[in-house]
Amino acid sequence: MDIVQFIAAKRDGQEHHRGELREFVLAAVGGAADYQISAWLMAAYLRGLSEEETVELTGALRDSGRTFPLGHFGPRSVDKHSTGGVGDKTSLVIVPLCASLGAVVPKMSGRGLGFTGGTLDKLEAIPGFRSDLSVEEFERIVSRVGAAIAAQSADLVPADGRLYALRDVTATVDSVPLIAASVMSKKLALGCPSVVLDVKVGSGAFMPDRERGQALAAAMVAIGTAEGRRMAALLGDMSRPLGRAVGNSLEVLEAMETLRGGGPDDLRGHCSLIAGEMLSAAGVARSPEDGVARAEEALRSGRAADKMLELVEAQGGDAESLAAGRLPVASLTAAVHADSSGFLARVDARAVGQAAMALGAGRQRRDDGIDLGAGVVLRHTVGDEVQAGEPLATLHASTEAHLHAGLARLLSAFSVSEAAPAAAPLVHEVIRA
Ligand code: URA
């Protein structure tokens, strides 16, 4: 292909001809220069891509590596994706929850970066847990347990790896069509007939702005629908953290409480809503509402928690320690206190995420190490009445320096007001194909 012409066309705001994006993706994995790929990424970032172009880019990315045929994991297989946030441990709850009710959930997840956490880091807080499964092991566990949670295999969508690495260093990550194509190429490669997306909006989201979140959700639903998948997207609130725990071990412990029918109301409610959509899309429930009712019952009965322990054991993890709540938690603690009495009006998700990172729970760069036992536990949530001097949060760290750094960040996360704040919804809207 004439790559210079191709870049110039997007620079000038033209729509690419059919087939050109596919050639470009082939060139990207076939050794095209970083500067040419980066130049096109910036042109696409500034000029945008049409729906047809986004669908074509997604398909080309998907086909750059190994794919599983549609329905390979069975007609009841369903995938989920969250755009990520602070305290977002929903996969830890939803994957075993849906599997306990007969859906099949082959889940490939990622690690945390910046102020948002990642499912694999959280699961690795369970001693012995292995996420680096071979494709054969992954398939075997999915067929035996009904679910597995593994790191994305290197041969799944390699072209996205190349493009994403360049986007990361050229300020071209937060483009709706580029994110949509990147996320959906991985969902399509996995071959589940149904996909439910949890697109977060608010300060702790990757895409804080609600309108852009809506556009991203709509773009991903359109791509999946064009490829014959049953799609639903929820626009989830991430102005405050989800649940009370932020940090790897702490989040796993909270997820386990939730799987036993306890845990914070917002987390349990959010997980039930997403599970309801997934169970309905997979044909396990008659409707999303029926799916929510079944999900709530599986949490109450202990069925979902049992499935989690089965999954952890199948992936080499110490299910006994998890069941007993014995995970490493950093031993140094400190608290943030309310400076006046009133109602908790704001618990800023981004500030809490940054505090957790300063405590050692997150990584700045992909190859940084993390402290699995560090993090924050919120003692109150938005809308609670609090008294001056009462603890609002407990911080956990392994060194005094980390504890002080986390404390400095966390102080700015809270606002107390005289009047009770309006209740914010867990989910702003649901977009179905
Ligand atoms: N996550 C992805 O997988 N891709 C993006 O582009 C952004 C977030």
Side-chain angles (χ1 to χ4, degrees), residues 81-83 152 160 164 167 172-176 178-186 206 216:
H81 179 82
S82 163
T83 57
Q152 189 181 308
D160 179 60
Y164 194 87
R167 286 168 58 206
T172 52
V173 169
D174 62 334
S175 145
V176 166
L178 295 180
I179 298 173
S182 164
V183 169
M184 286 306 297
S185 63
K186 290 170 277 200
F206 183 56
L216 177 61

Side-chain angles (χ1 to χ4, degrees), residues 96-184:
L97 170 57
C98 289
S100 78
L101 289 162
V104 175
V105 197
K107 179 86 182 83
M108 286 198 179
S109 289
R111 297 192 182 277
L113 189 62
F115 62 88
T116 63
T119 302
L120 298 184
D121 298 322
K122 294 173 198 183
L123 283 167
E124 284 168 11
I126 304 168
F129 189 91
R130 282 183 52 228
S131 59
D132 59 336
L133 305 178
S134 68
V135 170
E136 291 67 32
E137 282 177 297
F138 182 65
E139 290 179 317
R140 200 167 351 103
I141 295 171
V142 170
S143 67
R144 201 173 80 228
V145 177
I149 306 179
Q152 189 181 308
S153 91
D155 56 0
L156 195 91
V157 197
D160 179 60
R162 177 103 209 267
L163 260 50
Y164 194 87
L166 291 171
R167 286 168 58 206
D168 213 15
V169 292
T170 57
T172 52
V173 169
D174 62 334
S175 145
V176 166
L178 295 180
I179 298 173
S182 164
V183 169
M184 286 306 297

Side-chain angles (χ1 to χ4, degrees), residues 47-333:
R47 293 293 193 171
L49 298 179
S50 68
E51 192 172 317
E52 289 72 26
E53 286 177 314
T54 311
V55 170
E56 184 176 329
L57 175 62
T58 311
L61 291 173
R62 171 198 59 200
D63 296 339
S64 68
R66 177 175 187 150
T67 58
F68 295 85
L70 185 61
H72 174 76
F73 292 101
R76 289 183 161 197
S77 63
V78 54
D79 200 356
K80 77 157 281 259
H81 179 82
S82 163
T83 57
V86 178
D88 182 359
K89 70 277 294 169
T90 53
S91 287
L92 302 182
V93 176
I94 292 166
V95 172
L97 170 57
C98 289
S100 78
L101 289 162
V104 175
V105 197
K107 179 86 182 83
M108 286 198 179
S109 289
R111 297 192 182 277
L113 189 62
F115 62 88
T116 63
T119 302
L120 298 184
D121 298 322
K122 294 173 198 183
L123 283 167
E124 284 168 11
I126 304 168
F129 189 91
R130 282 183 52 228
S131 59
D132 59 336
L133 305 178
S134 68
V135 170
E136 291 67 32
E137 282 177 297
F138 182 65
E139 290 179 317
R140 200 167 351 103
I141 295 171
V142 170
S143 67
R144 201 173 80 228
V145 177
I149 306 179
Q152 189 181 308
S153 91
D155 56 0
L156 195 91
V157 197
D160 179 60
R162 177 103 209 267
L163 260 50
Y164 194 87
L166 291 171
R167 286 168 58 206
D168 213 15
V169 292
T170 57
T172 52
V173 169
D174 62 334
S175 145
V176 166
L178 295 180
I179 298 173
S182 164
V183 169
M184 286 306 297
S185 63
K186 290 170 277 200
K187 302 288 115 185
L188 297 181
L190 211 49
C192 291
S194 310
V195 182
V196 174
L197 305 165
D198 184 11
V199 178
K200 305 290 195 195
V201 294
S203 79
F206 183 56
M207 192 148 279
D209 182 71
R210 178 147 165 205
E211 273 163 28
R212 295 195 73 207
Q214 269 167 333
L216 177 61
M220 294 196 285
V221 167
I223 295 169
T225 307
E227 295 287 338
R229 312 296 159 112
R230 277 186 300 276
M231 299 292 302
L234 290 87
L235 222 56
D237 183 61
M238 193 32 81
S239 59
R240 60 206 156 149
L242 191 55
R244 302 290 182 90
V246 180
N248 301 288
S249 285
L250 297 168
E251 292 192 41
V252 175
L253 293 171
E254 185 172 87
M256 203 57 211
E257 276 175 41
T258 307
L259 281 160
R260 290 181 169 134
D265 292 347
D266 64 337
L267 176 63
R268 204 174 54 256
H270 192 74
C271 290
S272 299
L273 277 178
I274 297 173
E277 290 291 337
M278 289 171 69
L279 293 167
S280 167
V284 170
R286 289 186 302 277
S287 64
E289 295 72 28
D290 178 42
V292 170
R294 287 178 190 230
E296 285 171 348
E297 171 53 23
L299 294 175
R300 271 195 303 271
S301 68
R303 185 172 170 169
D306 289 347
K307 185 55 80 176
M308 175 64 165
L309 297 176
E310 192 186 339
L311 182 151
V312 165
E313 200 164 303
Q315 294 194 223
D318 180 353
E320 231 176 86
S321 293
L322 175 62
R326 279 196 314 267
L327 297 186
V329 171
S331 57
L332 298 178
T333 60

Side-chain angles (χ1 to χ4, degrees), residues 359-378:
L359 290 165
R363 55 172 76 75
Q364 203 105 41
R365 289 193 210 84
R366 275 173 211 283
D367 47 4
D368 287 348
I370 55 172
D371 180 351
L372 294 168
V376 176
V377 179
L378 301 168

